Amino acid sequence: MKVVFFGTPEFAVPSLEKLLNHRDFEVVAVVTQPDKRRGRGNQLTASPVKTVALTHDLPVWQPQRVKKDTETLDLLRQTQADAFVVVAYGQILSQEILDMPKFGCINVHGSLLPKYRGAAPIQWCLYNGEMETGITTMLMDAGMDTGAMLLKAHTSIDLMDNAEQLAQTLSVLGADLLIETLLKLQKGALTPIPQDSSQATYAPLIKKENYSLNWSRQALELHNQVRGFFPDCVATFRGAPLKITSTTPITPEMRSQLPSELRVLEEKWFDLSDRTTSPGEVVATVKGIGPLVQTGEGVLLLQKVQPAGKRAQSGLDFANGMRLAVGEVLQNGE
């Protein structure tokens, strides 16, 4: 089967590599987003997918707008590919492109459709506290993740998983499901299943305001926000931004899910439960673990943070280095 691969970020790499290493597929070209300037040097940087493609001497096309780029459209037609595979490409494909390949355009989507259609399914499923997610392969149509479903694969979500970790898990799961999907399509062994749009939920692009932490929210809600929008959630500490990148909610409901190294906090929870404190107030710094901050409901352990202008560090190192005092208050993010 001749395949053109559309993809851009690290999430798409396992799928591309799986295709390249499978004897039943020939990747004839790769379409990816244009190089972007990154880092302090503002250097043009290739996407992870482009980097892999170049190591395999594949043609790489990087149109600014693929559906308007006549040169790329001509090149796509000339491939006479059996399928276009799309994994986190980052641009909407026109009907003209969708109609080109024999088996259509096959998308690997990071949710169990029709839940979490859109640009950020992994982030929003964590934000909403889902305990299960997965991958759906589908035949793309002109809508936003509305195409008929082909196959699904499920995975559970751990309380401590963040968006980066879950994306890694799903990228590998998606690569395996892609191969299974293409092989079954080739044999005519798949029946596309239309989505029930009445059950659809959406995962839009993340905005700047989504990163701001509000201490009046529940500890579990804040934890889900931090891990869902990792690593960019922010509070305010002594008038400056403080990124908070890893937390644990310390509430009665969560005690059974605490990692073993944090079980010492079970006893500490009872010591703190009767205190009258304000949201954002530091209620304790637990020896060898880190600071506990009061929320609207429950206490939040700060495990990893990044003060403005400094490197990321453990919550414990932050508390010690800043001489964080019990009773000091962290403000909401701005």
Side-chain angles (χ1 to χ4, degrees):
M1 183 184 283
K2 292 171 65 177
V3 172
V4 174
F5 188 87
F6 293 69
T8 301
E10 193 65 40
F11 181 83
V13 167
S15 290
L16 175 57
E17 291 180 333
K18 204 84 173 182
L19 287 169
L20 289 168
N21 292 323
H22 199 290
R23 65 183 183 183
D24 290 328
F25 303 104
E26 177 190 0
V27 180
V28 295
V30 166
V31 185
T32 190
Q33 292 275 53
D35 296 354
K36 291 188 176 181
R37 296 192 180 277
R38 302 180 189 276
R40 292 184 179 180
N42 205 30
Q43 297 291 317
L44 276 175
T45 304
S47 72
V49 162
K50 179 181 178 179
T51 301
V52 172
L54 292 178
T55 63
H56 288 81
D57 297 321
L58 293 171
V60 176
W61 306 326
Q62 298 178 270
Q64 289 287 346
R65 295 187 66 196
V66 65
K67 61 184 180 180
K68 298 287 187 179
D69 193 295
T70 55
E71 181 181 354
T72 302
L73 292 173
D74 287 341
L75 289 168
L76 287 170
R77 287 190 203 93
Q78 291 169 23
T79 65
Q80 296 186 315
D82 297 301
F84 292 169
V85 169
V86 183
V87 187
Y89 171 48
Q91 293 190 38
I92 295 174
L93 305 186
S94 63
Q95 190 64 50
E96 180 182 6
I97 296 172
L98 298 176
D99 291 339
M100 286 183 189
K102 174 182 176 182
F103 292 105
C105 293
I106 314 305
N107 179 234
V108 177
H109 186 74
S111 78
L112 299 172
L113 290 169
K115 294 184 73 173
Y116 299 107
R117 294 173 176 174
I122 296 170
Q123 291 87 341
W124 286 106
C125 91
L126 287 169
Y127 177 85
N128 289 329
E130 301 282 2
M131 299 182 70
E132 183 186 56
T133 187
I135 292 287
T136 306
T137 52
M138 68 174 175
L139 283 173
M140 296 177 69
D141 62 15
M144 174 65 77
D145 301 323
T146 56
M149 301 176 293
L150 297 170
L151 292 176
K152 290 186 179 182
H154 297 244
T155 186
S156 60
I157 302 175
D158 185 81
L159 175 67
M160 304 308 294
D161 285 340
N162 64 33
E164 184 177 274
Q165 294 161 337
L166 186 56
Q168 175 61 30
T169 298
L170 290 175
S171 68
V172 175
L173 194 66
D176 291 336
L177 194 68
L178 170 63
I179 298 302
E180 182 183 355
T181 299
L182 291 175
L183 291 174
K184 286 184 175 179
L185 266 181
Q186 193 173 31
K187 295 174 184 176
L190 277 183
T191 301
I193 302 171
Q195 293 187 44
D196 181 356
S197 291
S198 70
Q199 300 299 309
T201 60
Y202 292 90
L205 284 169
I206 300 164
K207 299 178 180 179
K208 184 179 179 180
E209 56 262 33
N210 297 133
Y211 298 127
S212 297
L213 298 174
N214 185 327
W215 296 107
S216 64
R217 301 185 73 211
Q218 297 177 7
L220 180 58
E221 291 175 337
L222 288 165
H223 172 69
N224 288 338
Q225 184 179 0
V226 167
R227 67 194 186 122
F229 302 147
F230 174 87
D232 293 313
C233 285
V234 64
T236 303
F237 175 69
R238 296 177 185 172
L242 175 69
K243 276 191 176 183
I244 297 177
T245 58
S246 179
T247 58
T248 300
I250 311 301
T251 69
E253 298 79 15
M254 292 295 107
R255 275 166 40 208
S256 63
Q257 297 186 52
L258 289 180
S260 57
E261 66 270 18
L262 298 181
R263 288 290 163 80
V264 65
L265 295 175
E266 292 185 51
E267 182 179 343
K268 196 68 180 177
W269 160 256
F270 292 109
D271 292 341
L272 297 168
S273 60
D274 294 331
R275 294 183 51 150
T276 303
T277 50
S278 302
E281 184 175 338
V282 178
V283 296
T285 296
V286 183
K287 185 178 180 180
I289 295 180
L292 299 174
V293 179
Q294 182 66 49
T295 72
E297 183 179 320
V299 177
L300 195 67
L301 168 66
L302 307 187
Q303 289 187 280
K304 292 181 182 178
V305 303
Q306 184 173 3
K310 297 187 178 182
R311 292 185 177 182
Q313 57 192 262
S314 71
L316 183 62
D317 287 345
F318 165 74
N320 291 337
M322 293 293 183
R323 297 185 179 180
L324 192 63
V326 170
E328 187 164 5
V329 177
L330 279 68
Q331 305 297 327
N332 296 339
E334 295 181 355

